[in-house]
Amino acid sequence: MELQGDVTSQRRWEAYDKLGTFGIYAIGLVLAIQALGLEVRSVLAIGGIGGLAIGLAGREICENLLNGMLLMTTMPFEVGEEVCFRPNGQLVEGIVVDVGWYRTLIRSFEREMYVIPNAVFSKNTVLNVTRKQREWRFYEFLCVRVQDVHKVNAIIQDIRRIVRNDARILNKLHRRVFMDGISHDDVKIYVSFYCEASNRDAFMAIKQDLLLAFVDCIERNGAKLAQPRTVLELEQDTLLPRLMAGLLPAPGGSSGSSGGAAGLGLMGYG
């Protein structure tokens, strides 16, 4: 169902069936009371006193049942849809498996089963990922070597050309490709737009194609992606024995400061 990317009406009718069953039981209970010759108002008055006692003792149970009824009538999510929310700061995301009167079952992407009391949904904001329908956001930063900063403008123009001509990218929403920042390590290119895809798998395939095309733009303009640079600091009293033992290359004849630490760049750009 998730792979089809649509909202099924079958689940909605199942919810209506549950509500109809509850209504039939309620009407049957009233008719049974009348058949026994009892006064319905008197029974309801006695039930009201008992309901108050039950409500004080089982407030959470009643709250879960009431919210279960609201979930079935308002349909904020249905079986088969992907949802995401944070009860008590814990991230819960996955596919809805079942919506019951008292609890809702959600299977995570690690195939674990969450059993969520329905009262939780009245106190938390739920993100329904499935109902975003066919609009998926591409949001990435492309990091280019800082020594290729003068080639960034040509790279941006090539990426904009791809974004403008690709039919899978939506024209009605923003399409942004800009240089976002420069640091000692890299030049960041900000890329953001929306793609039309029926589901997450289709979007990931589009994203893969576009990322590879953007990398080709960078290499076609004679630039390269930035690489992380690691600096190793060694104390001076341990550096010399390592150099004598041939474990480290000689630092090009540069003299280190007396005392303190010597820094050796193990990985750089280019």
Side-chain angles (χ1 to χ4, degrees):
M1 182 182 306
E2 183 212 1
L3 294 179
Q4 294 176 354
D6 55 5
V7 179
T8 176
S9 60
Q10 179 64 29
R11 302 301 181 181
R12 190 180 300 274
W13 284 109
E14 290 178 2
Y16 291 155
D17 180 66
K18 292 180 181 179
L19 292 175
T21 302
F22 177 79
I24 291 173
Y25 280 130
I27 295 173
L29 179 61
V30 173
L31 295 177
I33 293 174
Q34 292 179 345
L36 292 175
L38 300 176
E39 190 69 28
V40 178
R41 294 182 179 179
S42 301
V43 175
L44 291 178
I46 298 174
I49 298 175
L52 178 61
I54 295 174
L56 295 176
R59 178 181 175 184
E60 293 185 0
I61 296 176
C62 297
E63 186 177 2
N64 286 322
L65 293 175
L66 178 60
N67 280 279
M69 183 180 299
L70 292 175
L71 289 176
M72 294 178 187
T73 54
T74 60
M75 293 290 182
F77 50 79
E78 300 182 28
V79 174
E81 293 184 336
E82 179 183 346
V83 296
C84 175
F85 60 102
R86 288 183 177 272
N88 299 323
Q90 178 187 0
L91 177 62
V92 176
E93 58 180 347
I95 307 299
V96 179
V97 176
D98 181 58
V99 180
W101 289 106
Y102 183 79
R103 88 295 176 263
T104 296
L105 301 180
I106 298 176
R107 185 177 296 280
S108 70
F109 297 117
E110 287 75 25
R111 309 306 294 167
E112 299 170 341
M113 185 68 74
Y114 289 105
V115 181
I116 310 294
N118 289 333
V120 172
F121 298 106
S122 65
K123 303 173 184 177
N124 293 273
T125 302
V126 180
L127 173 63
N128 192 322
V129 180
T130 302
R131 294 188 185 176
K132 72 188 301 179
Q133 297 180 349
R134 303 177 65 88
E135 298 174 355
W136 297 78
R137 187 184 183 188
F138 183 103
Y139 175 73
E140 294 291 337
F141 285 95
L142 304 177
C143 298
V144 181
R145 298 183 309 173
V146 69
Q147 53 264 46
D148 296 326
V149 62
H150 298 294
K151 305 173 183 177
V152 168
N153 185 53
I155 296 172
I156 290 176
Q157 296 303 322
D158 282 354
I159 294 177
R160 286 177 178 173
R161 190 176 301 109
I162 293 175
V163 172
R164 186 168 54 249
N165 297 329
D166 197 311
R168 298 170 296 182
I169 298 175
L170 297 174
N171 297 327
K172 63 180 181 179
L173 299 174
H174 76 251
R175 295 173 294 172
R176 297 170 182 161
V177 183
F178 295 98
M179 185 171 68
D180 187 67
I182 303 176
S183 67
H184 294 291
D185 297 326
D186 55 28
V187 180
K188 289 184 174 60
I189 301 176
Y190 166 76
V191 183
S192 175
F193 51 80
Y194 290 85
C195 302
E196 182 177 6
S198 59
N199 53 68
R200 184 181 294 275
D201 292 344
F203 168 69
M204 295 302 295
I206 296 174
K207 184 177 181 179
Q208 174 180 301
D209 293 341
L210 292 174
L211 284 174
L212 292 175
F214 296 160
V215 172
D216 289 340
C217 289
I218 294 174
E219 296 178 348
R220 186 166 56 248
N221 286 277
K224 292 184 179 180
L225 292 173
Q227 297 179 352
R229 180 168 56 185
T230 304
V231 176
L232 177 65
E233 293 188 356
L234 296 175
E235 295 295 333
Q236 196 75 341
D237 55 354
T238 62
L239 179 61
L240 184 59
R242 285 188 155 211
L243 290 175
M244 296 295 293
L247 297 178
L248 289 176
S254 60
S255 59
S257 59
S258 59
L264 296 179
L266 298 184
M267 288 183 61
Y269 297 102

